[in-house]
Amino acid sequence: MEQQGTYDAQFGERKVCVLIPTYNNAGTLGAVLEQVLGYTRHVIVVNDGSTDGTTAVLERFPQVNVLSYQPNRGKGIALRRGFKFAVEQGYDFAITMDADGQHYASDLPAFLDKADRNDPAILIGARNLHQENMPGKNTFANKFSNFWFYVETGLKGPDTQSGYRLYPLFAMKGMRFMCTKYEFEIEVLVRSSWKGIRIGWEPVGVYYPPAEERVSHFRPFRDFSRISVLNTVLVTIAFLYIHPRNLLRFIFSKDGLRYLWREQLLAAGESNARKAASVGFGVFMGIFPVWGFQMLIAVIVAAFLRLNKALVLIAANISLPPVIPLIVYGSFMVGRMFVQEDATWIIFSKGLTLGDVKQNLFQYITGAIVLAVAAGLVAGLVTYLALSVFRRKRAAAQT
């Protein structure tokens, strides 16, 4: 146990434990524990309702903290209960490992070195997804997960599905989760990122046995469906609240407006026309009557038209909650041109009914579209004229 003598003290000093959730992994759990115990005695195993010989295996390791319950509840519940148990035992960090033998205990020191209370981060073990015996479905699923993680957080990473992770439990205090199965490992990343916890990656080794020797509890159709539903919910929250919130925080930060003006609007690399079109299109999308989908549509169209996505998103936030009533009122006012009976009064009516809304929806939609086009054209024109003046002055000052 020379390795344990080298690292065990550090695990204790930094209040780090190794957390291993397991369900019917009796064939591999013993070897995993032997390897991990070579590095530290700070080990917790969550026995998630196993019905095989897992209990007998755990009895061979009395030095391991065991949390057991029946029936099987899923990996998400196992991790959530394991986190709570670890905090109760006084740990600030948990390094999670799978019990199927995929992960190498030799990578534990790399995670241990990153356990820093001054820089709390979830560190994900980035696997080599192109090595021998790697299941093709895993590669596809990981790319799928990476894409939606980027959409939901704006962060790009090589591996968002690896279960080999370092969690800063103290920084996650008070967080509540809704997922119970495999999809929890996506939810915890996204929601931690939204909370401001840094997400990072650390290269790790991974062992995938031949197909005939693998033990997997992943149910492709059911679990993939749950993950898809989760991503739908997270994307909706991201575009309705998280991305606008983060953008506003940035814009009104100490250097936000200066960065927007100097690095986005005045910076070289794009023509005045393209920048102006980006701002104009953003304002158009911010008013266009597709509430809830404005940001998503704006990003997709901006990418297709090769506009400046940052400027498009910033301009689209014209539809901030305090401004929305003014946009709705303006839409009704403009829509008066297209109806015989003005329905602007319904905005101020205390007895507003769903029938009133349906009856006068045409006035709102037509007015909103016209207002969006007009505001977009004006914003684009003003931006173009301003850039023509200020970029010329900036170029002259640099010569």
Side-chain angles (χ1 to χ4, degrees), residues 110-188:
F111 287 99
L112 178 63
D113 287 343
K114 303 294 174 59
D116 184 357
R117 284 191 62 94
N118 297 319
D119 182 24
I122 294 179
L123 192 65
I124 307 169
R127 303 162 294 176
N128 177 3
L129 299 177
H130 303 287
Q131 71 178 55
E132 184 180 4
N133 291 329
M134 171 65 71
K137 64 181 180 181
N138 286 36
T139 303
F140 167 78
N142 197 59
K143 290 180 179 179
F144 179 86
S145 179
N146 293 349
F147 169 77
W148 287 113
F149 179 72
Y150 172 69
V151 172
E152 292 151 5
T153 65
L155 301 176
K156 291 185 177 181
D159 190 351
T160 53
Q161 289 200 315
S162 171
Y164 208 169
R165 302 178 179 185
L166 169 71
Y167 287 99
L169 302 180
F170 71 95
M172 298 163 61
K173 184 178 180 180
M175 294 183 67
R176 296 181 179 275
F177 302 97
M178 59 184 178
C179 295
T180 62
K181 308 293 183 181
Y182 285 98
E183 70 274 10
F184 168 78
E185 291 184 301
I186 299 173
E187 181 191 16
V188 68

Side-chain angles (χ1 to χ4, degrees), residues 184-218:
F184 168 78
E185 291 184 301
I186 299 173
E187 181 191 16
V188 68
L189 291 184
V190 173
R191 295 186 60 187
S192 295
S193 174
W194 289 351
K195 189 179 179 181
I197 298 174
R198 185 171 62 84
I199 310 295
W201 283 266
E202 177 72 24
V204 297
V206 61
Y207 169 70
Y208 272 99
E212 63 275 8
E213 298 178 14
R214 291 182 202 137
V215 176
S216 175
H217 304 295
F218 185 83

